[in-house]
Amino acid sequence: QVQLVESGGGSVQAGGSLRLSCAASGFIFDRNCMGWFRQGPGKEREEVVRVSRDGLTTYAPSVQGRFTISIDSAKNTLYLQMNSLKPEDTAMYYCAAEIGYCPVRRRFDYWGQGTQVTVTS
């Protein structure tokens, strides 16, 4: 059974940094697709970044150059380093996983419970 548990959220001032973690069980990152999503207040859930089984990383334009996804295979943990945070980055952040190739035009199969990030001005 796949389980994803996010941590690392919190409140930070604009311009600050946070690193989110997503610990996985029942799932290995190699040869599978992972992603980070977020849902701000009153907004739809949006994709922040995904990394394919082939290592191809795709960032949303709004976070390109500020956020970095990484994987520690030994710890089976996915990270999202977030720098130069802006108030508009305030959202619940979720990690998601898909066995095999990244999904196209449908939701990822597995989701964590989310971790809240609040950026104050």
Side-chain angles (χ1 to χ4, degrees):
Q1 182 177 358
V2 176
Q3 288 190 326
L4 305 171
V5 179
E6 301 97 332
S7 61
S11 183
V12 64
Q13 288 190 328
S17 299
L18 282 174
R19 188 178 77 158
L20 306 183
S21 301
C22 174
S25 59
F27 180 88
I28 57 173
F29 295 115
D30 291 343
R31 300 180 182 277
N32 293 308
C33 179
M34 300 295 300
W36 285 97
F37 291 73
R38 66 185 181 185
Q39 186 166 15
K43 298 180 181 179
E44 293 186 354
R45 187 172 297 188
E46 64 171 341
E47 182 172 316
V48 175
V49 58
R50 68 170 58 188
V51 55
S52 74
R53 59 178 289 168
D54 302 318
L56 178 63
T57 304
T58 306
Y59 290 92
S62 59
V63 307
Q64 180 76 51
R66 299 188 298 123
F67 290 12
T68 304
I69 191 171
S70 62
I71 296 171
D72 186 331
S73 297
K75 296 181 179 180
N76 217 34
T77 300
L78 181 74
Y79 299 99
L80 183 66
Q81 178 66 44
M82 305 186 296
N83 299 327
S84 302
L85 282 162
K86 305 175 181 180
E88 52 264 42
D89 294 319
T90 294
M92 184 72 78
Y93 282 73
Y94 302 89
C95 74
E98 179 80 12
I99 295 174
Y101 293 97
C102 290
V104 178
R105 291 188 295 275
R106 64 171 178 81
R107 283 170 58 93
F108 279 61
D109 280 343
Y110 303 102
W111 294 82
Q113 83 291 348
T115 185
Q116 178 67 38
V117 171
T118 302
V119 184
T120 59
S121 57

